[in-house]
Amino acid sequence: MATSHFFAYLSRMKFIRRWGLMHSTYPENIQEHSLRVAQIAHALAMIRNRLFGGDVSPERTATLALYHDTSEVLTGDLPSPVKEFNPEIQRAYRTIEAASKEKLFALIPDQLKPGYEAFFRPEARDRAHRELVKAADKLCAYLKCLEETGAGNPEFAQAEKALRASVESLDLPEVRYFLETFATRIVELTAMAGGTRVEEREGLEAGE
């Protein structure tokens, strides 16, 4: 039986660090990020269905989210300021990203490819699902900034402002519901944990 390197490559997601241009109090890799995006995308789909008359699949949305950054096991995580520097770089990065997805997809055994194709080759029927994945991705980046600033890390202050504006510009009621219902509690809990870490650090510096 032929063997495949597909999951060997996916296992390396834990080595790909995000926020490479900034100091992080809580380092984050793309495997952790993908799980969080999947959780929030799943929630956004349920919120759309139950509160705003939607008809999307939370399970499919979550699964698409799990695979949304897999190409970065080959490309690495390119920081947004670099990726979005100008249209030419954006186009070049999309080309590299597409090639990376195709390389990963080619590793999947032929009998299984139909079940994975939508995760690597976007389909029109998933437009609504991918819209929620993109929104969840932005929400996760914003929440990461809130966690970092809540822990006393000023490096994320400017990114927090920019991402807040980006999230608020999304014309999606489920995003607003998520922010109003869940985001403040995430910030509160992170601030409590961050305060504990600051107290511990100050105690060590004082020789306690």
Side-chain angles (χ1 to χ4, degrees):
M1 179 181 294
T3 59
S4 168
H5 284 85
F6 179 65
F7 280 98
Y9 274 101
L10 294 192
S11 71
R12 301 194 64 79
M13 290 174 70
K14 60 182 173 290
F15 300 127
I16 310 299
R17 290 276 298 273
R18 285 171 53 79
W19 306 96
L21 298 180
M22 303 165 78
H23 166 71
S24 296
T25 304
Y26 308 104
E28 180 184 49
N29 60 56
I30 65 169
Q31 190 170 62
E32 295 166 327
H33 169 70
S34 296
L35 172 60
R36 194 174 200 185
V37 173
Q39 291 171 332
I40 293 179
H42 183 268
L44 293 179
M46 288 201 296
I47 293 167
R48 174 175 288 191
N49 289 348
R50 294 177 180 271
L51 300 179
F52 301 106
D55 184 23
V56 294
S57 167
E59 294 76 19
R60 187 166 182 83
T61 304
T63 308
L64 287 165
L66 283 173
Y67 286 88
H68 84 283
D69 271 348
T70 50
S71 63
E72 292 182 3
V73 298
L74 297 175
T75 66
D77 179 57
L78 189 65
S80 293
V82 178
K83 191 171 10 181
E84 299 169 1
F85 183 73
N86 61 40
E88 185 178 354
I89 291 177
Q90 285 182 318
R91 286 192 297 270
Y93 182 75
R94 289 194 194 104
T95 300
I96 294 169
E97 185 179 43
S100 175
K101 289 179 179 179
E102 284 298 316
K103 181 170 182 177
L104 286 173
F105 183 66
L107 296 174
I108 300 170
D110 290 342
Q111 301 93 323
L112 301 181
K113 281 181 178 175
Y116 282 93
E117 188 166 8
F119 308 144
F120 296 91
R121 296 171 176 172
E123 299 178 358
R125 67 189 178 103
D126 282 321
R127 186 189 63 79
H129 298 120
R130 290 191 177 277
E131 177 184 50
L132 294 177
V133 172
K134 187 175 181 179
D137 195 21
K138 285 190 176 183
L139 274 170
C140 286
Y142 174 58
L143 292 174
K144 169 64 174 174
C145 291
L146 289 179
E147 289 170 348
E148 289 291 334
T149 56
N153 183 358
E155 285 202 33
F156 280 77
Q158 191 61 39
E160 178 192 327
K161 293 178 183 178
L163 283 163
R164 175 79 189 192
S166 179
V167 168
E168 289 181 342
S169 71
L170 296 173
D171 188 22
L172 297 173
E174 51 269 51
V175 170
R176 290 194 293 274
Y177 179 93
F178 185 92
L179 284 171
E180 293 168 1
T181 306
F182 300 108
T184 54
R185 296 303 183 187
I186 294 172
V187 176
E188 288 174 5
L189 192 59
T190 303
M192 289 171 59
T196 300
R197 293 182 66 167
V198 169
E199 290 172 5
E200 291 175 349
R201 185 167 61 250
E202 289 176 346
L204 288 172
E205 291 173 352
E208 295 179 0

